[in-house]
Amino acid sequence: MNKNKNTMAWRRRRGLVPILLAFIVTLLLGLALTSCTKLEVTPPDYELRLSESKQLQQPFDRVWARAIGWFDANELELERIDERTGYIEGKLAMTTNSPFMDCGKVATRNVVGKPALTQQGRVRMQVSGQNGPNATVTIYMSGTYRLSVFDRYAGREVYRSGPCVSNGQLEKRIFAFLDS
């Protein structure tokens, strides 16, 4: 009779243990999933600017020399330069929250440390009008961002990258420099 009571208690406990384990595992899994790192980037509000163009009241040779001077003064890494076609292209390393580019808004949750944001811009300039009294300059600026944060639950880096759009401020500065 005593043996029968122990068997019944053992059977009840045996049925209770898997239920408790299932509950605990479900609870921990739910906590883990709701506590994961969240990284969202809302794109910029305005559309991509295709280019800015301006006719300057100066000859091609003077504008070309000033354009090369601007790239040199701002320490852009030149990737391509061709005086025959009037084309210059360079990379612009930018600081976080550059005044020249809009990369959108970043929202994070459950991250370890501050998110690392790097931005890089590309400036393309076309100077035309070699045979005329006035040169026309067209500037196209584009950029990209790379955002990384540490996901504390997964124990790894989480990355996002995407395009940035020009807000027109750099183009205005370049035109002011070229026109001076």
Side-chain angles (χ1 to χ4, degrees):
M1 193 152 125
N2 195 11
K3 185 177 179 187
N4 198 11
K5 283 185 180 178
N6 286 341
T7 304
M8 295 288 275
W10 182 79
R11 284 184 185 161
R12 269 188 252 129
R13 278 187 296 219
R14 185 173 156 205
L16 188 59
V17 169
I19 293 171
L20 283 173
L21 282 176
F23 176 74
I24 291 170
V25 167
T26 304
L27 180 67
L28 290 176
L29 185 60
L31 286 173
L33 289 176
T34 59
S35 300
C36 289
T37 294
K38 184 176 183 175
L39 179 61
E40 291 181 7
V41 179
T42 304
D45 292 336
Y46 46 90
E47 303 211 3
L48 182 67
R49 300 171 72 89
L50 295 178
S51 64
E52 294 284 334
S53 190
K54 185 175 183 181
Q55 185 173 17
L56 304 175
Q57 303 299 319
Q58 299 178 25
F60 174 85
D61 293 336
R62 176 164 167 66
V63 173
W64 179 256
R66 297 286 293 163
I68 292 173
W70 183 87
F71 276 83
D72 185 43
N74 291 280
E75 298 179 353
L76 270 73
E77 178 185 333
L78 288 176
E79 293 191 327
R80 190 170 151 211
I81 183 169
D82 186 358
E83 184 176 4
R84 188 174 45 83
T85 61
Y87 185 78
I88 308 172
E89 181 178 333
K91 282 184 183 177
L92 176 63
M94 297 182 297
T95 61
T96 303
N97 298 325
S98 167
F100 308 123
M101 302 292 280
D102 184 357
C103 298
K105 304 290 182 229
V106 176
T108 60
R109 187 179 77 195
N110 295 328
V111 296
V112 176
K114 188 175 180 181
L117 176 68
T118 57
Q119 296 174 327
Q120 187 174 43
R122 181 174 306 276
V123 178
R124 296 174 186 95
M125 188 182 304
Q126 179 72 49
V127 182
S128 57
Q130 285 117 328
N131 298 329
N134 299 326
T136 301
V137 178
T138 303
I139 302 170
Y140 175 73
M141 184 176 173
S142 61
T144 58
Y145 72 88
R146 179 176 166 91
L147 179 67
S148 65
V149 296
F150 189 76
D151 183 344
R152 64 181 173 190
Y153 292 101
R156 63 183 172 86
E157 290 282 327
V158 176
Y159 299 97
R160 295 286 185 277
S161 61
C164 299
V165 295
S166 172
N167 61 17
Q169 295 302 312
L170 185 65
E171 292 90 332
K172 287 178 186 173
R173 288 186 184 185
I174 294 172
F175 285 131
F177 182 86
L178 296 177
D179 213 12
S180 63

